[in-house]
Amino acid sequence: MSLALHQLLAACRFAARTLELERGNLGQPFGGFWEEILHNSLGVATLTVASLESYANEMYFEGSILEDSLRPSAAAEISTLIDREPVLKKYSLALAVRLEKRLNFGSPEVQNADALIKLRNSVVHFRPEWFGEQQSHEKLSRLLQHRFQPSPFLPNEPLFPRSWASASFAFWAVQSSVAFIKNFYAEIGLPCPLDQFDEQITLLLNPA
């Protein structure tokens, strides 16, 4: 049973709903509808990163990345050791073992995935800070700046902890996750598991 794809597709549904809510309430004063926007955005943030990690875990479980480079016992040992490591390290190690190279953290695909993971970690392990005395919140806001548009209902707030929740964010998160997976499989020289689902992803993001 694979959950990675379903986590991503669920994120697409949340993203589409976020856009529907924004469009339906444009011009309205800040109100209760924004809570649903936040809830859907939280779903996108957690599910896209969950999908990235699930694809990495499935990659090690099925052995497709390591089987040509290591003996089965060594591949199994690495899979056990890497299990609790950060998401991007799992992908980087796979590249190192198979091709003797690492993730390129200068590429937009990796930088966007890294920013998304940091946002997800911040909402899952949230630490409040006083307005006017923000440190980690301000640092994250700077990292996310220019990657997507903030909430049109909170135009005067920093991106984190609230203004990041927007349709622009939701679509960026899904597209960044897909771009990262596709870029990784292109780098490692194997068929991408997402290629056959491009149309389904597009339809979920843009329902009739």
Side-chain angles (χ1 to χ4, degrees):
M1 174 63 186
S2 169
L3 281 182
L5 173 65
H6 294 288
Q7 288 163 334
L8 181 62
L9 296 181
C12 292
R13 294 181 188 274
F14 283 127
R17 177 58 179 160
T18 303
L19 179 60
E20 180 184 7
L21 287 164
E22 272 197 9
R23 286 177 173 173
N25 290 281
L26 282 178
Q28 299 297 317
F30 183 83
F33 64 86
W34 182 82
E35 288 188 358
E36 190 176 352
I37 291 176
L38 174 62
H39 298 166
N40 282 278
S41 297
L42 287 168
V44 172
T46 54
L47 285 167
T48 48
V49 175
S51 179
L52 289 177
E53 184 160 19
S54 291
Y55 272 119
N57 292 340
E58 290 172 13
M59 170 179 68
Y60 281 95
F61 174 78
E62 68 186 17
S64 62
I65 298 296
L66 305 180
E67 63 184 3
D68 296 332
S69 305
L70 299 170
R71 295 179 183 274
S73 58
E77 186 68 19
I78 285 182
S79 296
T80 300
L81 292 173
I82 199 69
D83 185 57
R84 295 186 180 275
E85 292 296 326
V87 177
L88 294 185
K89 187 169 183 179
K90 294 180 180 184
Y91 287 99
S92 190
L93 179 61
L95 283 171
V97 170
R98 190 174 177 91
L99 300 176
E100 296 185 1
K101 65 180 183 179
R102 300 293 180 91
L103 279 180
N104 176 13
F105 276 84
S107 73
E109 294 86 0
V110 177
Q111 288 183 352
N112 280 332
D114 184 50
L116 176 59
I117 291 167
K118 285 183 169 64
L119 173 59
R120 176 265 183 193
N121 291 344
S122 293
V123 297
V124 171
H125 308 290
F126 183 71
R127 298 289 187 274
E129 294 182 346
W130 292 108
F131 281 107
E133 300 179 9
Q134 294 184 341
Q135 295 182 12
S136 62
H137 290 189
E138 182 181 357
K139 182 179 179 181
L140 181 57
S141 292
R142 289 198 303 269
L143 178 65
L144 298 173
Q145 193 174 16
H146 307 308
R147 298 184 190 275
F148 54 84
Q149 294 299 312
S151 170
F153 308 104
L154 298 165
N156 299 316
E157 289 192 10
L159 278 172
F160 196 80
R162 297 200 305 175
S163 186
W164 64 272
S166 68
S168 178
F169 155 74
F171 278 70
W172 167 81
V174 171
Q175 291 161 356
S176 294
S177 299
V178 171
F180 176 84
I181 293 295
K182 286 180 174 287
N183 182 69
F184 171 79
Y185 275 91
E187 285 284 310
I188 210 159
L190 291 172
C192 177
L194 281 181
D195 285 346
Q196 60 184 311
F197 300 105
D198 286 344
E199 184 177 357
Q200 187 174 2
I201 290 169
T202 299
L203 289 173
L204 285 173
L205 287 174
N206 303 279

